[in-house]
Amino acid sequence: NAGVTQTPKFQVLKTGQSMTLQCAQDMNHEYMSWYRQDPGMGLRLIHYSVGAGITDQGEVPNGYNVSRSTTEDFPLRLLSAAPSQTSVYFCASRGGYNEQFFGPGTRLTVL
Amino acid sequence: AQSVTQLGSHVSVSEGALVLLRCNYSSSVPPYLFWYVQYPNQGLQLLLKYTSAATLVKGINGFEAEFKKSETSFHLTKPSAHMSDAAEYFCAVKGGGGADGLTFGKGTHLIIQP
């Protein structure tokens, strides 16, 4: 049981490049979400999904795209990276009592 | 809508001293409350959660928190700090059911002095 896994762990992009951050969970959780963590800001919700085929926006969705084709996977896409998207990204899945399980994070730098 | 305020971005205590990290929340519905810990360059690990059962919640690593509705607080405590407790601590709230995610405080960096 691996829990929530994320790849890559580190990524450097140039402004305007695109990339996909991968997230997978093996706990059969319906709810999954993406957060970004910035110094002094805590974690902020980007997008979430309540099940395959259903996604919705969180607090800071601009510049990000998501899809949910399977229960296990919830990738986050940056279509045209900007320096403001330099951050640490965490994927989470939610079990009972709204407890969220977090992945190890992806540290993204946009130059 | 809900919000979380963590008082003190940095808290420094001596090893063996009491740890107190403050969290106040606002929520329009009975909340679920959480404390997470983040060690350097790692993800978030759940310390404890309040789910409307007992108001005093015990978590891992000797931490506990008390839900006080009248004060809208959920402060985290540990009787005796260890060097290994040095980390970033986040309080988070979720307002009842629904599909929205957690709302996090900005975090408190706990420093343990030898």
Side-chain angles (χ1 to χ4, degrees):
Chain A
N1 189 339
V4 180
T5 58
Q6 292 182 238
T7 56
K9 290 187 177 180
F10 301 94
Q11 184 70 49
V12 178
L13 292 177
K14 295 181 179 179
T15 298
Q17 286 185 315
S18 63
M19 79 159 296
T20 300
L21 281 64
Q22 301 292 344
C23 174
Q25 53 95 5
D26 61 1
M27 296 174 282
N28 203 32
H29 291 161
E30 292 293 330
Y31 183 96
M32 297 183 72
S33 53
W34 277 101
Y35 293 85
R36 60 176 289 173
Q37 182 181 26
D38 302 291
M41 301 290 289
L43 279 78
R44 293 178 291 170
L45 182 65
I46 304 172
H47 284 287
Y48 64 92
S49 168
V50 298
I54 307 170
T55 64
D56 207 344
Q57 298 179 350
E59 180 185 355
V60 288
N62 293 339
Y64 307 95
N65 198 7
V66 292
S67 61
R68 184 94 178 272
S69 57
T70 66
T71 299
E72 295 77 19
D73 301 299
F74 190 42
L76 178 72
R77 295 183 185 84
L78 284 70
L79 299 179
S80 179
S84 61
Q85 294 178 303
T86 293
S87 187
V88 182
Y89 292 85
F90 289 99
C91 178
S93 71
R94 190 169 80 191
Y97 290 108
N98 292 287
E99 177 181 340
Q100 300 218 18
F101 297 86
F102 286 83
T106 294
R107 189 175 297 272
L108 176 66
T109 301
V110 182
L111 302 175
Chain B
Q2 53 260 6
S3 65
V4 176
T5 300
Q6 290 184 240
L7 296 178
S9 58
H10 292 77
V11 170
S12 180
V13 302
S14 299
E15 190 174 18
L18 171 72
V19 175
L20 171 61
L21 304 183
R22 300 178 185 274
C23 172
N24 288 91
Y25 71 92
S26 69
S27 177
S28 57
V29 297
Y32 294 104
L33 292 159
F34 306 85
W35 275 100
Y36 284 87
V37 60
Q38 184 181 33
Y39 299 102
N41 299 315
Q42 294 189 24
L44 277 73
Q45 179 182 4
L46 181 68
L47 273 178
L48 49 81
K49 60 181 183 285
Y50 167 75
T51 58
S52 77
T55 57
L56 181 63
V57 181
K58 294 187 182 299
I60 62 172
N61 301 340
F63 284 94
E64 63 182 35
E66 186 173 8
F67 172 69
K68 293 187 176 180
K69 183 178 179 180
S70 62
E71 299 178 7
T72 61
S73 68
F74 191 56
H75 302 331
L76 182 71
T77 60
K78 182 174 180 178
S80 177
H82 295 162
M83 296 299 292
S84 59
D85 294 327
E88 191 86 14
Y89 292 80
F90 293 96
C91 181
V93 63
K94 185 184 183 314
D100 53 325
L102 294 175
T103 299
F104 283 84
K106 294 184 177 182
T108 298
H109 186 201
L110 178 62
I111 301 163
I112 310 296
Q113 304 282 2

